[in-house]
Amino acid sequence: MEFLFRKLTSISATVILLILSAIFIVLFFYAKPAIKEYGLHFLVDPRWGVTIQIPVKNSATVQNNTNSNASASVGNNEDDSDNMSDSDNVDAALGLGGDDVDSAISGGGENSQNYKTKEIYGGLIPIVGTILSTIIAMLFAVPIAMGIAIFLSEIAMPMLAKPVGIAIELLAAIPSIIYGMWGLFYFGPFISHIFGGPSVNLLVAGLVLGVMIIPFMASLTRDSMNTTPDVLKESAYALGATKFEVIKDVIFPYAKSGIIGSIILALGRALGETMAVAFVIGGVFNYPKKLTDPTVSIPVVLANSFAESSGMSLAALFYLSLVLFVVSFIVIVTAKFYFLRNNK
């Protein structure tokens, strides 16, 4: 039985590692054309879906082909001398000389053959939008979540702390699309009335994200603070410490790992939130010059563009997905490093 238990737990851990590896491999495989085409410049390029003209590198080959085509046309003209008179008539009817027509055809053709169109995709604006909306959410959510956790753990009476705690946990379970609809129809116009700008902008997206992660962070922080042994708190009170000093000098240091973990997990959720942000961020590829400007984030680009993308645009979306995956992974690794350092 002990052997079977060990094997099952090992298999469970291996399965989740295989799933993570499979996700990374799939993202990298489909993003490979965009990585090869744009490289790391993709991360700093603000253009998305912009068509540009670039010179053809092998212009000598194009010129030779043009000359050979011209020679072939001259040979045909000599053979079809009778038709020349017809062409001259057509040229005369158009009001152009034969040389003008030839230069118009060969000149315009040469220019069009020396350039080709190319679509450019860059992820800078979605990356900036994701980072700024997450920073706004964390600045708004962390102090409020800490206050809620302290109130539920140390200040509120048990008959009040229990129903409020249950309400906080229920808020954490509300689907994100409901937060998005609330932000679009009520919270966004309210913020716009106070700070100006459109009702869908970066500030509204960040605040809605903050509202979403507050219950999640507050619940985890409260649970971490509740693990503090009563003997430590009672000893501090016996030495004359106030409630504020006990919370600051006893509870917070003891539950620090759990509190930091809740912040990091909330940060990861804010980075990847899609539906609520898609309702209120604006969805336009513009730099936000101020907080009340609309912009776009990585999850919003993925949600809005995947259904109608193909070829290089689809590869660019997978490149964005890979960037988001790597950023989220770095956040988790940072949290793990912090916990390991605390355990030493």
Side-chain angles (χ1 to χ4, degrees):
M1 191 65 184
E2 182 70 17
F3 175 78
L4 180 61
F5 178 74
R6 287 177 178 271
K7 285 296 180 184
L8 289 176
T9 55
S10 301
I11 291 173
S12 301
T14 305
V15 166
I16 195 64
L17 289 177
L18 290 176
I19 291 174
L20 286 175
S21 301
I23 292 173
F24 179 81
I25 291 172
V26 168
L27 292 178
F28 181 79
F29 177 78
Y30 284 101
K32 198 172 180 181
I35 296 174
K36 185 177 180 181
E37 181 70 21
Y38 307 118
L40 293 178
H41 186 69
F42 178 84
L43 303 177
V44 295
D45 195 334
R47 297 170 295 179
W48 182 269
V50 177
T51 302
I52 64 171
Q53 284 188 336
I54 58 173
V56 177
K57 294 181 180 179
N58 195 9
S59 58
T61 304
V62 174
Q63 185 64 38
N64 291 335
N65 293 334
T66 304
N67 294 334
S68 62
N69 293 334
S71 301
S73 63
V74 170
N76 292 333
N77 289 338
E78 290 177 352
D79 296 337
D80 301 333
S81 57
D82 295 336
N83 295 333
M84 287 294 293
S85 59
D86 297 336
S87 300
D88 293 339
N89 294 333
V90 173
D91 296 341
L94 294 174
L96 296 173
D99 294 339
D100 295 336
V101 174
D102 293 340
S103 62
I105 295 174
S106 61
E110 185 177 351
N111 289 333
S112 63
Q113 288 174 350
N114 284 336
Y115 290 89
K116 66 178 182 180
T117 60
K118 178 182 178 182
E119 284 194 340
I120 300 297
Y121 292 93
L124 180 60
I125 292 178
I127 292 172
V128 170
T130 302
I131 294 174
L132 291 180
S133 60
T134 303
I135 291 175
I136 294 171
M138 297 305 293
L139 291 176
F140 175 70
V142 169
I144 297 177
M146 294 300 110
I148 293 174
I150 292 171
F151 176 77
L152 295 178
S153 177
E154 300 298 326
I155 297 177
M157 296 181 294
M159 60 180 299
L160 180 62
K162 190 172 182 179
V164 174
I166 294 175
I168 294 294
E169 293 172 353
L170 290 177
L171 285 175
I174 292 178
S176 60
I177 191 171
I178 295 178
Y179 284 104
M181 296 171 64
W182 168 74
L184 177 64
F185 293 109
Y186 296 100
F187 190 66
F190 175 72
I191 295 297
S192 175
H193 180 72
I194 297 176
F195 296 99
S199 60
V200 288
N201 56 55
L202 176 64
L203 180 61
V204 174
L207 294 178
V208 170
L209 265 180
V211 172
M212 289 183 61
I213 63 176
I214 281 175
F216 186 70
M217 197 187 312
S219 299
L220 292 178
T221 302
R222 178 203 58 188
D223 293 340
S224 299
M225 294 175 66
N226 286 337
T227 60
T228 306
D230 291 335
V231 64
L232 293 180
K233 293 186 286 186
E234 292 170 358
S235 300
Y237 285 126
L239 293 174
T242 63
K243 186 174 286 293
F244 173 75
E245 291 171 339
V246 169
I247 293 172
K248 179 174 68 72
D249 297 328
V250 177
I251 297 177
F252 264 58
Y254 188 86
K256 185 171 65 176
S257 297
I259 295 172
I260 297 297
S262 69
I263 295 174
I264 296 297
L265 291 176
L267 175 63
R269 182 176 182 183
L271 284 171
E273 179 53 45
T274 304
M275 288 308 300
V277 182
F279 273 85
V280 294
I281 199 170
V284 294
F285 280 86
N286 288 333
Y287 274 122
K289 296 180 181 178
K290 52 183 182 294
L291 291 179
T292 54
D293 285 344
T295 184
V296 72
S297 67
I298 294 178
V300 173
V301 175
L302 299 179
N304 291 340
S305 305
F306 243 112
E308 55 188 19
S309 298
S310 62
M312 188 56 70
S313 62
L314 185 62
L317 291 177
F318 274 102
Y319 198 174
L320 270 182
S321 306
L322 186 63
V323 171
L324 184 61
F325 181 87
V326 171
V327 170
S328 302
F329 185 77
I330 290 174
V331 169
I332 295 173
V333 169
T334 302
K336 193 67 178 175
F337 170 77
Y338 185 84
F339 293 144
L340 290 177
R341 190 179 64 177
N342 280 347
N343 290 333
K344 289 181 179 178

